Amino acid sequence: MRLDISANADKIGKSLIYQKFRRYIEKIADIFKISLIYFLDQTSSFNCSTFNVMIGLTSYIEAGEKMAIITKITSQKHTDDRYNIFIDDGKGEKFAFSVDQDVLIRFQLKKGKELDEFEILDIQYGDAVKKAYNKAIEYLSYRMRSIKEVEDHLRKKEYNDAIIHEVILKLKEYKYVDDLE
C-alpha cells in the first residue's frame, strides 16, 4: 500500500508524529549538511513501512532526548593533541569519547556545555573524519599515491565510505592527491 503525500497532506502534514519526525530530520540534515527535508518534500509518495519507521524513530529519539553536560576535559597521556571528554547524562559522570584538538575547537567543547545525542554523534563523526584524514596524510607522507590507493588504504583501516569520501574531498582541496599529475 502506498500513501500519496499530496492526497493525505492534511492527515500526515498536520499529524504530530510527522511534525516531530520532520524536526528530527532537520536536525539530522543540519548535522550531515544535507537537505533531507527537500528530499521529503519532493517525494510524491512513500509506503506505509516508511511511515511506521517515522513513528518508531520519533519515539526512540524522544525517549533518549536527554541532554548530557560536559563535566571534564582532560588531555590524553601519550598524545597531546587528543582530549578525553567526560559527561554527566543524569546517571553520574562517565567517560564519553575522545576527540582531536581540531574537533574540540571546531565544536567549541568546554566544561558545562550541554550536548544532545545528535551533537554527540556529529562530534564523533567529525573526529572519525579527522582520524581518517591523519591516516591518509601519514600514508601520503611516504610517496604520492592515487586516489584509489588512498581509498583502499582507508578501507583496510575499516573507515566507512562516507568518511573516506569526505577525506578524499579534503585531500583534493589541498591538492595532496591528483590523479591527473
Side-chain angles (χ1 to χ4, degrees):
M1 179 179 169
R2 296 186 64 80
L3 296 174
D4 186 8
I5 288 180
S6 58
N8 295 310
D10 289 333
K11 292 178 191 172
I12 296 171
K14 292 180 181 173
S15 78
L16 186 60
I17 293 170
Y18 181 77
Q19 291 171 8
K20 287 181 183 178
F21 178 74
R22 187 177 180 97
R23 194 172 68 238
Y24 292 123
I25 290 297
E26 287 170 348
K27 282 185 180 180
I28 292 168
D30 184 52
I31 288 171
F32 293 107
K33 308 298 186 249
I34 56 176
S35 179
L36 293 175
I37 299 306
Y38 175 79
F39 174 77
L40 285 176
D41 286 342
Q42 298 304 312
T43 304
S44 61
S45 63
F46 61 93
N47 60 31
C48 285
S49 63
T50 305
F51 191 67
N52 290 336
V53 168
M54 286 169 44
I55 294 168
L57 181 62
T58 301
S59 302
Y60 173 76
I61 291 171
E62 283 183 338
E65 202 174 320
K66 298 177 183 91
M67 299 291 272
I69 299 171
I70 297 176
T71 56
K72 182 169 54 172
I73 300 174
T74 61
S75 62
Q76 292 186 346
K77 292 180 183 178
H78 302 292
T79 313
D80 290 339
D81 61 342
R82 291 201 56 82
Y83 294 86
N84 296 324
I85 308 297
F86 294 83
I87 61 170
D88 183 356
D89 58 358
K91 300 174 188 168
E93 183 179 271
K94 65 180 180 181
F95 171 79
F97 50 87
S98 63
V99 295
D100 188 270
Q101 182 176 8
D102 294 341
V103 175
L104 183 84
I105 293 167
R106 188 171 82 222
F107 287 97
Q108 300 174 356
L109 300 178
K110 58 186 175 198
K111 185 177 177 179
K113 182 172 181 165
E114 289 186 351
L115 302 171
D116 63 19
E117 284 188 49
F118 287 117
E119 289 172 314
I120 292 171
L121 288 174
D122 191 22
I123 292 165
Q124 290 173 332
Y125 179 79
D127 189 56
V129 170
K130 180 64 178 169
K131 281 186 201 175
Y133 178 76
N134 289 343
K135 289 284 183 197
I137 293 294
E138 180 185 337
Y139 185 61
L140 288 168
S141 70
Y142 299 107
R143 67 175 177 87
M144 290 300 290
R145 313 274 182 167
S146 70
I147 293 171
K148 174 138 177 46
E149 286 177 300
V150 175
E151 288 174 343
D152 290 344
H153 178 73
L154 293 175
R155 275 193 192 90
K156 193 167 68 173
K157 298 289 183 188
E158 299 182 358
Y159 290 104
N160 70 37
D161 289 340
I163 291 172
I164 292 170
H165 179 71
E166 202 163 324
V167 168
I168 294 298
L169 288 176
K170 200 172 192 180
L171 292 172
K172 283 181 180 178
E173 180 184 333
Y174 291 119
K175 296 184 173 47
Y176 291 149
V177 292
D178 185 4
D179 284 351
L180 298 177
E181 284 185 18

